[in-house]
Amino acid sequence: MKPLIFSFFLLFSSLLFAQNVELYVGTYTVNTGGEGIYRYYFNTKTGELHHKLLVTKVKNPSFITLSKNKKKLFTVSENGENGVVQSYSLNKGKSALISETKSNGAAPCHISLNKNNSTLVVSNYGGGTIALYKVSKTGKIATAFQVFNHNIKQDKAHAHSAKFFKNNLFTADLGRDFLAQYVVKPDDSYQLKDTILMKDKAGPRHFEISKKGKFIYVINELNSTISVLKNNNNNYTNIQNINTLNTTYTGKNSCADIHLSKNQQFLYGSNRGENSIVVFKRNKKNGKLTKIQSIGVEGNWPRNFTLSPNGKFLLVANQYSNNICVFKVHKKTGKLNFVEDYKQASPVCLIF
């Protein structure tokens, strides 16, 4: 009887562990109560966050990313003119610093890896620069091999995010109102191909690329819109601009983050000011959006949000109200329902 009970216990434990995934949280740490990067376990069945742990103390890790195998973590430290980029090894909730190097610009605010984790790109908001780094298999970040400076004499740049897609590197510049498209050269360096302009003073901040790259969705911080870009022979043109706010809202607002649902049928964006998540239904054929919901975030200033790996939940980092809120995603409609909130000092980035 005892072996049977023990076998049942092992099976129950393995099932329980299988439905828990790690969530890493970057925070602002200056006069906020945040201390650095935290790890939670997230239950993909119930939506519960638990077993909070401070992974590493670092100043203002405002954006983080993970290697494909989840064993290495990369972060920017948004520290004015002294911004740096760091890599850490992860092992059962413990971290060890692998490398640190300059971000090559003031106030780094975004970091991402290419598909095989060999190249890293950092966006420097204050400096208006994009820096590219080679990453070794051990996770060590080399000195930047390319730095693109978007500043021009008559216009200050604010690089806010960058992503690799196939042979392209796309970067959103909030200061100069464009999405830059770089293409890779035979020597693995990148060169500018095009700058896709948004409306004047739109303020492109973050963007999502559809699976095959046919469409790019840019969320504009300053005019509270999403711009839909369509690909034609690797040239992108703007086919739609749609507002993210309720028609009844008249206050100030700054859009922040944007994500496509796992099935690519829905698009989500965050509004800071209105303090909401806006939900759009996406036409997969023509790429255009239709607004279907706007829901309050149960907090203040939703700087960043993410979808759980199974797509069943959406988690929001409310920077000013110091909480992470969990919403259930309706499988058929894509609409959100609030589940629970959890206290966390100044959360600004959520990564599974």
Side-chain angles (χ1 to χ4, degrees):
M1 192 66 178
K2 285 184 178 179
L4 184 63
I5 294 172
F6 182 69
S7 297
F8 176 79
F9 176 77
L10 284 177
L11 178 62
F12 178 77
S13 297
S14 63
L15 288 172
L16 192 65
F17 182 78
Q19 67 190 34
N20 283 288
V21 295
E22 291 180 317
L23 172 74
Y24 288 88
V25 181
T27 65
Y28 276 129
T29 62
V30 179
N31 302 318
T32 65
E35 294 185 83
I37 300 170
Y38 296 83
R39 187 218 65 191
Y40 289 82
Y41 282 122
F42 178 74
N43 188 307
T44 57
K45 187 175 182 180
T46 66
E48 179 190 7
L49 278 173
H50 56 98
H51 287 80
K52 175 183 176 181
L53 178 72
L54 178 62
V55 173
T56 186
K57 289 188 176 185
V58 56
K59 188 173 183 179
N60 289 343
S62 60
F63 211 92
I64 57 179
T65 193
L66 293 166
S67 62
K68 193 183 297 183
N69 63 10
K70 313 293 185 185
K71 292 183 178 180
K72 297 176 185 69
L73 182 147
F74 301 84
T75 182
V76 295
S77 178
E78 191 176 326
N79 186 21
E81 298 290 336
N82 301 311
V84 297
V85 191
Q86 297 174 325
S87 59
Y88 293 87
S89 62
L90 299 172
N91 185 20
K92 297 179 180 179
K94 295 182 179 180
S95 69
L97 181 67
I98 299 172
S99 63
E100 176 179 299
T101 188
K102 293 180 180 179
S103 69
N104 290 279
C109 62
H110 189 269
I111 186 169
S112 63
L113 288 158
N114 67 347
K115 192 173 181 179
N116 64 9
N117 292 181
S118 63
T119 307
L120 187 73
V121 60
V122 171
S123 303
N124 293 290
Y125 179 84
T129 56
I130 300 289
L132 288 158
Y133 306 81
K134 289 298 181 184
V135 181
S136 72
K137 290 182 179 180
T138 64
K140 185 177 180 180
I141 305 168
T143 303
F145 68 89
Q146 256 185 312
V147 179
F148 296 108
N149 189 337
H150 285 174
N151 291 288
I152 56 177
K153 189 175 181 179
Q154 64 273 30
D155 208 354
K156 184 169 175 57
H158 289 302
H160 215 304
S161 62
K163 285 183 182 179
F164 297 95
F165 183 80
K166 295 184 178 179
N167 293 323
N168 297 292
L169 170 66
F170 295 96
T171 72
D173 194 310
L174 186 147
R176 293 188 57 201
D177 293 316
F178 63 64
L179 186 76
Q181 179 184 5
Y182 294 88
V183 292
V184 71
K185 295 162 64 177
D187 63 357
D188 286 339
S189 65
Y190 284 82
Q191 66 180 13
L192 182 65
K193 179 182 185 296
D194 195 12
T195 52
I196 307 130
L197 292 174
M198 305 299 119
K199 288 190 175 181
D200 188 38
K201 294 181 170 42
R205 179 182 172 100
H206 285 274
F207 56 94
E208 276 279 76
I209 306 171
S210 63
K211 282 182 180 177
K212 294 182 180 180
K214 190 173 181 179
F215 301 98
I216 299 178
Y217 298 88
V218 184
I219 194 160
N220 297 301
E221 177 177 333
L222 303 182
N223 71 356
S224 299
T225 64
I226 290 173
S227 297
V228 183
L229 311 180
K230 185 177 181 180
N231 185 356
N232 183 23
N233 295 321
N234 208 29
N235 293 298
Y236 287 84
T237 55
N238 190 320
I239 61 168
Q240 185 186 22
N241 292 292
I242 188 166
N243 198 280
T244 64
L245 300 171
N246 279 307
T247 54
T248 55
Y249 182 76
T250 58
K252 292 181 179 181
N253 188 74
S254 298
C255 286
D257 203 7
I258 185 169
H259 291 286
L260 280 164
S261 64
K262 300 300 176 182
N263 60 13
Q264 304 269 294
Q265 291 181 358
F266 306 100
L267 185 78
Y268 303 90
S270 62
N271 288 303
R272 300 173 300 176
E274 186 183 62
N275 290 332
S276 66
I277 297 292
V278 60
V279 186
F280 296 94
K281 185 172 176 58
R282 176 176 173 261
N283 185 314
K284 284 189 174 182
K285 289 185 178 180
N286 65 24
K288 292 187 176 182
L289 305 172
T290 303
K291 190 187 296 182
I292 59 172
Q293 186 189 26
S294 182
I295 185 171
V297 293
E298 306 293 329
N300 187 6
W301 215 249
R303 189 180 187 274
N304 180 249
F305 67 93
T306 189
L307 288 153
S308 61
N310 61 6
K312 292 182 178 181
F313 295 94
L314 185 145
L315 292 81
V316 182
N318 290 313
Q319 181 183 343
Y320 292 163
S321 55
N322 301 307
N323 63 338
I324 297 172
C325 292
V326 181
F327 294 82
K328 179 82 173 181
V329 180
H330 193 283
K331 185 177 180 180
K332 291 184 178 180
T333 68
K335 292 183 178 181
L336 306 176
N337 286 303
F338 175 64
V339 177
E340 187 60 87
D341 81 308
Y342 299 87
K343 290 182 180 180
Q344 169 60 61
S346 195
V348 293
C349 185
L350 307 176
I351 298 290
F352 280 106

